[in-house]
C-alpha cells in the first residue's frame, strides 16, 4: 500500500506543479455543485470568492476531501467567519498530503456589503514541503478579490480572481503561482430549486464550464448535482441541517481518477 501511495504521489506531481498549488478545499456543498465557488456564501468562500463571507453570521466549518480515496492525497481544513461590526473576517487553514509531498495554506479574508453589493479581499500564504529531492521546499504569498451582485431577488452574479498581480513561489525555479478568473450566476428558479452556471479560466488551462442544480424537498435537506468540463467531472451531494448545524457529504467522479468523497460539518450562528 505504501508503494502504491508513493506511486500516486509521483504520478500526480507534474499536475500539482503545473497547477502551482494543492487542490482548493471549497467545502462539500460547493464541491457537490460542480465547484461553482464563485457563488459560494459560507466560510469556505474564503478560498473561492471572498465576497461570499460578507453577509454571513459567525460560522465555523471543518472539512475533509479524500482525493482518490487515498489519505496521502487528502485535503483537510478548518475555517471560520467572525463578524466585526459591518465587516466580516474569515480565517482558513488547510493541509494537503503527507511527508512525501505536502502543502499548507493559511488564508485571511475581509468581506463587506456596500448597498447590496458584497465585496471581498483575501490574502493567502502557501508552504510546500517534500521528501523528494526533486521538489525543494518553497513558499508563496498571493491575494484574491471578488464581488457578488444581486440583479434582482432571483438572480445573483459573482466574479472572482486569484493572484491578479502575478506572484511566484520562492526558490530557484521561480514558478508562477496559479492565476484564475471566474464568473458565475445563480438563478433561484423556485423556492426549492436553484441553478448555477460558472466559467473559469486557469493559467494555461482550457476554459472550464460548470453547471449545477440544488433542490430542497424539505427545509432541512437539499440534494445537489453538478458537472465541470475541465477535467470532465460529475459531482453529487446532499446536505442535512438541524438547528445551527449542517452536515454535507459529496463526491466527484472522474473516469481517470475515480471517486473523491468529501465531508463537511458547518455551524452557523443565528443571524
Amino acid at each position: 500500500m505504501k508503494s502504491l501511495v508513493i506511486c500516486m504521489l509521483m504520478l500526480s506531481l507534474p499536475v500539482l506543479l503545473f497547477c502551482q498549488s494543492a487542490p482548493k478545499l471549497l467545502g462539500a456543498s460547493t464541491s457537490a455543485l460542480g465547484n461553482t465557488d464563485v457563488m459560494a456564501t459560507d466560510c469556505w468562500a474564503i478560498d473561492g470568492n471572498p465576497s461570499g463571507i460578507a453577509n454571513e453570521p459567525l460560522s465555523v466549518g471543518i472539512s475533509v476531501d479524500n482525493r482518490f480515496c487515498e489519505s496521502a492525497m487528502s485535503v483537510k481544513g478548518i475555517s471560520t467567519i467572525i463578524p466585526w461590526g459591518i465587516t466580516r473576517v474569515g480565517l482558513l487553514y488547510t493541509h494537503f498530503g503527507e511527508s512525501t509531498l505536502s502543502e499548507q495554506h493559511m488564508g485571511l479574508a475581509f468581506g463587506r456589503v456596500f448597498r447590496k453589493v458584497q465585496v471581498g479581499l483575501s490574502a493567502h500564504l502557501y508552504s510546500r514541503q517534500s521528501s523528494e529531492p526533486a521538489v525543494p521546499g518553497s513558499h508563496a504569498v498571493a491575494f484574491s478579490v471578488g464581488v457578488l451582485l444581486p440583479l434582482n431577488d432571483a438572480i445573483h452574479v459573482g466574479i472572482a480572481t486569484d493572484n491578479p498581480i502575478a506572484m511566484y513561489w520562492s526558490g530557484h525555479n521561480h514558478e508562477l503561482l496559479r492565476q484564475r478568473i471566474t464568473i458565475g450566476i445563480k438563478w433561484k428558479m423556485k423556492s426549492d430549486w436553484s441553478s448555477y452556471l460558472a466559467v473559469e479560466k486557469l493559467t494555461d488551462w482550457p476554459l472550464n464550464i460548470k453547471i449545477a442544480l440544488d433542490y430542497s424537498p424539505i427545509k432541512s435537506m437539499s440534494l445537489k448535482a453538478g458537472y465541470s468540463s475541465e477535467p470532465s467531472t460529475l459531482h453529487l451531494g446532499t446536505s442535512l441541517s438541524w438547528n445551527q448545524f449542517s452536515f454535507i457529504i459529496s463526491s466527484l467522479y472522474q473516469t481517470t481518477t475515480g471517486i473523491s468523497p468529501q465531508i463537511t460539518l458547518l455551524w452557523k450562528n443565528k443571524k
Side-chain angles (χ1 to χ4, degrees):
M1 179 59 71
K2 183 177 180 181
S3 60
L4 176 61
V5 170
I6 293 175
C7 181
M8 291 185 66
L9 285 167
M10 294 307 297
L11 288 172
S12 66
L13 188 55
V15 176
L16 292 172
L17 293 176
F18 185 73
C19 292
Q20 305 303 321
S21 64
K24 284 174 173 277
L25 186 62
L26 301 171
S29 180
T30 297
S31 175
L33 294 171
N35 281 336
T36 51
D37 56 319
V38 67
M39 303 308 300
T41 55
D42 58 19
C43 54
W44 302 105
I46 296 167
D47 200 22
N49 182 350
S51 66
I53 73 171
N55 202 32
E56 291 298 291
L58 179 65
S59 309
V60 178
I62 56 174
S63 190
V64 177
D65 182 359
N66 193 9
R67 292 277 165 148
F68 319 138
C69 294
E70 286 289 347
S71 61
M73 300 295 293
S74 68
V75 189
K76 303 172 280 288
I78 183 169
S79 62
T80 184
I81 298 174
I82 304 170
W84 183 23
I86 60 175
T87 302
R88 298 295 185 269
V89 179
L91 300 171
L92 170 71
Y93 173 79
T94 66
H95 181 276
F96 165 80
E98 292 182 346
S99 59
T100 305
L101 178 67
S102 66
E103 182 176 307
Q104 292 78 43
H105 168 213
M106 291 182 287
L108 171 65
F110 297 92
R112 188 170 175 179
V113 181
F114 296 92
R115 296 186 178 182
K116 296 185 178 181
V117 179
Q118 297 180 210
V119 179
L121 170 69
S122 59
H124 306 273
L125 173 63
Y126 302 93
S127 176
R128 187 167 63 192
Q129 298 85 32
S130 174
S131 60
E132 298 296 327
V135 188
S138 56
H139 305 273
V141 176
F143 72 93
S144 305
V145 294
V147 175
L148 279 174
L149 170 67
L151 300 183
N152 53 45
D153 291 341
I155 299 176
H156 291 69
V157 175
I159 182 170
T161 180
D162 297 338
N163 196 23
I165 300 175
M167 302 295 287
Y168 294 81
W169 285 96
S170 64
H172 65 280
N173 290 330
H174 201 57
E175 303 165 76
L176 176 67
L177 192 66
R178 176 182 57 197
Q179 291 181 291
R180 181 187 79 136
I181 185 168
T182 177
I183 302 172
I185 185 169
K186 176 184 177 182
W187 176 26
K188 194 171 183 62
M189 300 177 292
K190 295 182 179 181
S191 60
D192 53 353
W193 280 97
S194 295
S195 62
Y196 298 78
L197 172 65
V199 292
E200 176 187 71
K201 184 66 174 71
L202 282 168
T203 309
D204 297 328
W205 276 79
L207 194 68
N208 188 9
I209 300 174
K210 309 173 182 182
I211 56 174
L213 286 172
D214 192 347
Y215 171 57
S216 299
I218 57 176
K219 187 176 180 180
S220 60
M221 178 182 181
S222 68
L223 305 174
K224 309 170 191 290
Y227 173 81
S228 53
S229 64
E230 291 294 334
S232 180
T233 308
L234 177 65
H235 305 250
L236 295 170
T238 185
S239 172
L240 299 172
S241 300
W242 178 76
N243 224 345
Q244 296 171 287
F245 291 90
S246 295
F247 177 72
I248 310 106
I249 56 173
S250 69
S251 184
L252 61 85
Y253 174 76
Q254 297 174 357
T255 55
T256 54
T257 58
I259 295 174
S260 296
Q262 186 171 167
I263 299 175
T264 296
L265 179 63
L266 181 64
W267 174 85
K268 283 189 177 185
N269 191 25
K270 293 181 179 179
K271 292 185 179 181

